Amino acid sequence: MAPGAPQGAPVSGISGGVPVDQGTAGGAGDKGLRGGSVGLLSSVVLGVSTVAPVYCLTATLGPTVTAVGVQMPAVFLAGFLPMLLVAFAYKELNKDFPDCGTSFTWGVRAFGPRVGWMAGWGLTVATIIVLSNLAGVATDFLYLMLGEMTGSSWVTELDQNKAVHLLTVVLLIAGATAMSYRGMTATKWFQYSLVGLQLAVLLLFSVIAIGKAASGDLPDSIGFSFSWLNPLEVSSFSAFTAGLSLSIFMYWGWDTCLTMNEETQGSAKTPGRAAMISMVTLVGSYLLVVIASQMFAGVGSTGNGLGNPATADNVFSALARPVLGSPWSILLFLAVVASAAASLQTTFIPVARTLLAMSAYRAVPPRFGAVHPRFRTPGYATVAAGIATAVFYVGMSLISENVVQDTILALGLMICFYYALTAFACVWYFRRSLRTGVRALLLKGVAPFVGGVLLTAVFLQTLTDAWAPDYGSGSVFGIGSVFVIGVGILLLGAGLMTWYGFIRPEFFRGETLHKDTPALVVED
């Protein structure tokens, strides 16, 4: 509880019109979710699943090598640092005020309604973009896998048909939406299986790749060097921040553990622990796969080289058969499909629960606060997110595939934006208690502040680079398309916030959630 906060003062909110009892002091109250349904293991699986490690690797290895060359392992380690520091902020904020709105709720309590609303907007938009890309990658690898299994190039080429591709994407989004609608407990073992499959295949791939590279029979392989782990050897700061932005995307999603805090056993401590375990699991897996891939294929721009622009979007599609051989290459295709499918389901969690919290505090329309009476999930928000994802992907694809890629590049801006806001919110929220001890100073002050500064630096450098007309697929009035899309998304959010504040001002006047809000009481 923030120093000086009054005890027990009820605050009105809305949660689908269902009367809910006041929560425990220092918490956010009951919004109708199924409390105590997620344990530590389930929470860790959620974090890893949402990040989708196999999908992230296949989509990011190529662009990262293009930016930083053999220093890719160093950049992945550097990307882990701000994520770890921000994770301390999430952990401490969740311990004091567990609320499924996470960045939105904590941003409001630290800096006021408008800053918190924009943090919620950043999370929501980033999630919609990621969900659409997950569905696209899952579709690509689904047809690659089916083609490999049947030995038919005709099946593989079905994905090149835009109508077939878009229909498959929409069906995958619909299926993931339906599963997320039913809740994590209904599909727990499905998630366990998919995450276990991903990690097992990555380990198998890495061991075989390192073994073949060590044999010395591969023309493109290179020997391991500890210099790969030195970020100071990256050619320029601009190249470093470009790679860092991509590596930050590689870790995005671990905060799903925190958005499930009101449904987790030991809501004040378990989500933070799960986030830390998830991140350690991810960084270990990433380093192993990155080093193995680099040793096996090198960083050249031809053949199997990781810098080959022809395979940059889907590196594993090029490496599956050379590393694992036939028919075992199917395992890697299956792992990518499993990774994207698992993440499709779990990535709905943060956006749906953020919208639920925003609705409960009257920051968005009341319908987003509707909780399904049987599944105890934010049903309306989940379906709305699914529809928005499908419309976004289909709309962008019909405009131009380049627009889809530019939007994905702009994703890093959204991630840095709301993570940095959350980190600074932690420092300001706990400012009066930083002198109570060394632990408080480090974990509530220094670590979050440094993490926020690092992410802000990446955000600003990316904006500077994206201004150039040759950054992305094109330019608009001489300004890079990625800059236009990224800034345009943030300005759109500011416009929607202003509009909603005009028609429903209660939240923005601090009547439903403010710095001293101890708990939520939902009106009938």
Side-chain angles (χ1 to χ4, degrees):
M1 186 64 106
Q7 297 292 328
V11 179
S12 297
I14 296 176
S15 182
V18 180
V20 185
D21 294 332
Q22 181 171 326
T24 57
D30 189 348
K31 300 180 183 68
L33 300 170
R34 192 187 301 277
S37 61
V38 179
L40 178 62
L41 178 60
S42 297
S43 193
V44 171
V45 169
L46 276 173
V48 174
S49 177
T50 304
V51 173
V54 182
Y55 149 74
C56 284
L57 284 165
T58 191
T60 311
L61 287 177
T64 308
V65 162
T66 302
V68 300
V70 293
Q71 255 52 59
M72 180 166 58
V75 170
F76 277 17
L77 270 177
F80 173 70
L81 177 60
M83 291 293 100
L84 178 63
L85 297 176
V86 171
F88 284 119
Y90 273 78
K91 187 172 183 289
E92 295 302 320
L93 285 166
N94 178 76
K95 187 185 299 183
D96 190 83
F97 197 84
D99 187 286
C100 66
T102 59
S103 294
F104 156 74
T105 307
W106 300 328
V108 173
R109 286 174 60 79
F111 299 129
R114 285 170 177 78
V115 174
W117 199 97
M118 287 302 296
W121 170 257
L123 185 153
T124 300
V125 173
T127 306
I128 296 298
I129 295 172
V130 167
L131 281 168
S132 64
N133 193 43
L134 280 167
V137 170
T139 298
D140 292 342
F141 273 86
L142 175 63
Y143 286 105
L144 277 172
M145 182 183 70
L146 293 176
E148 191 82 0
M149 292 173 65
T150 60
S152 170
S153 60
W154 176 81
V155 174
T156 302
E157 291 168 2
L158 275 175
D159 189 52
Q160 304 304 314
N161 184 306
K162 179 161 283 191
V164 172
H165 177 84
L166 292 179
L167 177 61
T168 307
V169 166
V170 170
L171 289 175
L172 286 175
I173 292 172
T177 303
M179 294 182 73
S180 185
Y181 188 88
R182 290 177 57 85
M184 174 61 186
T185 54
T187 57
K188 181 170 64 175
W189 291 106
F190 174 75
Q191 284 293 333
Y192 286 1
S193 301
L194 294 186
V195 170
L197 172 66
Q198 289 181 65
L199 297 179
V201 171
L202 287 179
L203 179 61
L204 177 67
F205 171 86
S206 300
V207 170
I208 294 177
I210 291 173
K212 288 188 175 182
S215 70
D217 297 331
L218 303 174
D220 298 322
S221 65
I222 53 178
F224 171 75
S225 170
F226 282 102
S227 65
W228 294 357
L229 303 175
N230 184 5
L232 298 178
E233 294 195 17
V234 178
S235 60
S236 68
F237 183 69
S238 179
F240 179 74
T241 54
L244 196 60
S245 180
L246 289 165
S247 68
I248 286 172
F249 164 70
M250 296 280 290
Y251 296 104
W252 180 80
W254 55 265
D255 51 318
T256 297
C257 302
L258 282 300
T259 60
M260 291 285 286
N261 50 21
E262 295 185 41
E263 299 154 85
T264 303
Q265 300 167 12
S267 61
K269 295 182 178 180
T270 301
R273 292 172 179 168
M276 294 294 182
I277 296 172
S278 298
M279 292 185 67
V280 171
T281 302
L282 289 167
V283 72
S285 302
Y286 287 162
L287 285 177
L288 179 62
V289 174
V290 166
I291 291 171
S293 299
Q294 208 158 270
M295 289 178 63
F296 179 88
V299 296
S301 57
T302 59
N304 291 329
L306 299 180
N308 187 342
T311 60
D313 291 341
N314 288 319
V315 168
F316 285 160
S317 66
L319 295 184
R321 186 167 289 179
V323 174
L324 297 178
S326 183
W328 301 108
S329 57
I330 294 174
L331 286 176
L332 196 52
F333 296 145
L334 177 61
V336 177
V337 174
S339 180
S343 186
L344 260 178
Q345 182 199 349
T346 55
T347 303
F348 276 103
I349 291 172
V351 65
R353 280 150 183 81
T354 297
L355 289 171
L356 169 66
M358 294 179 78
S359 175
Y361 298 116
R362 298 181 182 175
V364 297
R367 288 296 302 276
F368 288 99
V371 173
H372 193 280
R374 176 184 171 193
F375 301 127
R376 305 282 291 279
T377 59
Y380 184 87
T382 300
V383 173
I387 293 173
T389 300
V391 170
F392 174 82
Y393 189 87
V394 172
M396 293 297 100
S397 297
L398 292 177
I399 294 172
S400 170
E401 290 297 331
N402 290 332
V403 175
V404 175
Q405 294 303 315
D406 287 345
T407 306
I408 294 168
L409 288 174
L411 173 64
L413 291 171
M414 302 300 108
I415 295 172
C416 290
F417 175 75
Y418 86 85
Y419 273 168
L421 279 180
T422 308
F424 292 134
C426 179
V427 178
W428 189 251
Y429 180 76
F430 290 113
R431 65 191 183 281
R432 296 190 183 96
S433 61
L434 296 182
R435 297 181 182 179
T436 59
V438 175
R439 182 191 179 280
L441 178 63
L442 292 178
L443 299 187
K444 298 178 180 179
V446 175
F449 180 76
V450 173
V453 169
L454 291 173
L455 289 173
T456 301
V458 174
F459 178 83
L460 294 176
Q461 184 63 46
T462 303
L463 275 182
T464 302
D465 295 339
W467 180 271
D470 59 348
Y471 194 98
S473 64
S475 63
V476 180
F477 301 117
I479 303 172
S481 53
V482 174
F483 181 96
V484 172
I485 291 172
V487 174
I489 288 173
L490 291 175
L491 291 176
L492 174 63
L496 290 173
M497 177 183 67
T498 303
W499 169 76
Y500 196 72
F502 179 75
I503 64 172
R504 293 291 297 272
E506 301 98 327
F507 166 77
F508 299 94
R509 290 197 298 243
E511 296 174 5
T512 60
L513 176 63
H514 49 81
K515 297 178 186 178
D516 296 329
T517 301
L520 173 69
V521 176
V522 181
E523 293 179 339
D524 192 351

